Structures are given as C-alpha cells and as structure tokens.
Amino acid sequence: QVQLVESGGGLVQAGGSLRLSCAASGRTFIRYFMGWFRQCPGKEREFVAAISWSGGSTYYRDSVKGRFTISRDSAKKLVYLQMNSLKPEDTAVYYCAASSKGPTVGYDYWGQGTQVTVSS
C-alpha cells in the first residue's frame, strides 16, 4: 500500500514557476514508478511526467518538455514536479500517482490532487 499527499499548488502568473511535492508513505515506495497527472474540468485526466524507481529515467508529455522537471528523493519518500514558464493551459488539478507496472500505465495509487491556476 502507498499513500500519497500532494502540496504546492496555487495561483501564479503566466511565465512563473511552482514546485509541487508529493509525500508518500508505505514501505514499498522505492519500487514504484512515480507520476504526475493533471485534469481540467470537463476533460480527461492526462499524463504529465513520470520517473523510474531509481530516478534514472524520466518521461514527459510533449507540451511540458523543457519546462517541467520531475525528481524524487526516495530516502525521504518525496516526489517533486518543478514547473517553470507556466502557461494558462497548464491550469488543472495535479495528481501524484504510483505505478508498479510502468511509467505511463498501471497507476494503482493516487493522491487527492492540488490545484494549479495560471493567470494570463
């Protein structure tokens, strides 16, 4: 079992930055891919970024490459999403998730989400 709690969301102007954090609990945290997803009202949840259990591999959706960076501190059971050059279209609820199967599939555990709002 893995429990996830996100923090760090808020309101920021376009071009600004935010860093989201995800605190995990559970003894097997280190074995999971960790990902960030987002969902806008009326739209499906979409993949944003993921990181392998070792931290050696990262994955991003095209629209955030070069702007977002995912990282993890397995010793502290923390996952981060550094978001720079934010755009209004990045506005969404962001969710942290854990997968035992791969970077973009099999996400079994989810946090409650944190709201990110980017004003133009």
Side-chain angles (χ1 to χ4, degrees), residues 1-4 24-29 32 77 98 108-110:
Q1 288 284 343
V2 177
Q3 293 80 43
L4 304 170
S25 60
R27 292 180 294 175
T28 58
F29 166 78
Y32 286 83
K77 296 185 178 179
D108 302 312
Y109 302 101
W110 296 84

Side-chain angles (χ1 to χ4, degrees), residues 19-55:
R19 188 177 79 158
L20 305 183
S21 299
C22 174
S25 60
R27 292 180 294 175
T28 58
F29 166 78
I30 195 171
R31 301 181 186 278
Y32 286 83
F33 285 87
M34 298 300 299
W36 287 95
F37 291 74
R38 65 189 182 188
Q39 187 169 22
C40 301
K43 295 187 177 181
E44 292 187 355
R45 189 174 298 182
E46 63 182 22
F47 169 81
V48 176
I51 189 166
S52 64
W53 69 269
S54 68

Side-chain angles (χ1 to χ4, degrees), residues 67-117:
R67 300 189 298 122
F68 290 12
T69 303
I70 189 171
S71 61
R72 70 190 292 169
D73 184 336
S74 292
K76 296 182 178 179
K77 296 185 178 179
L78 291 168
V79 180
Y80 304 102
L81 185 68
Q82 177 67 43
M83 304 185 295
N84 299 328
S85 302
L86 282 160
K87 304 175 181 180
E89 51 264 43
D90 294 318
T91 295
V93 177
Y94 283 71
Y95 297 90
C96 176
S99 169
S100 59
K101 298 179 177 61
T104 59
V105 297
Y107 280 87
D108 302 312
Y109 302 101
W110 296 84
Q112 82 289 350
T114 185
Q115 177 71 47
V116 171
T117 303

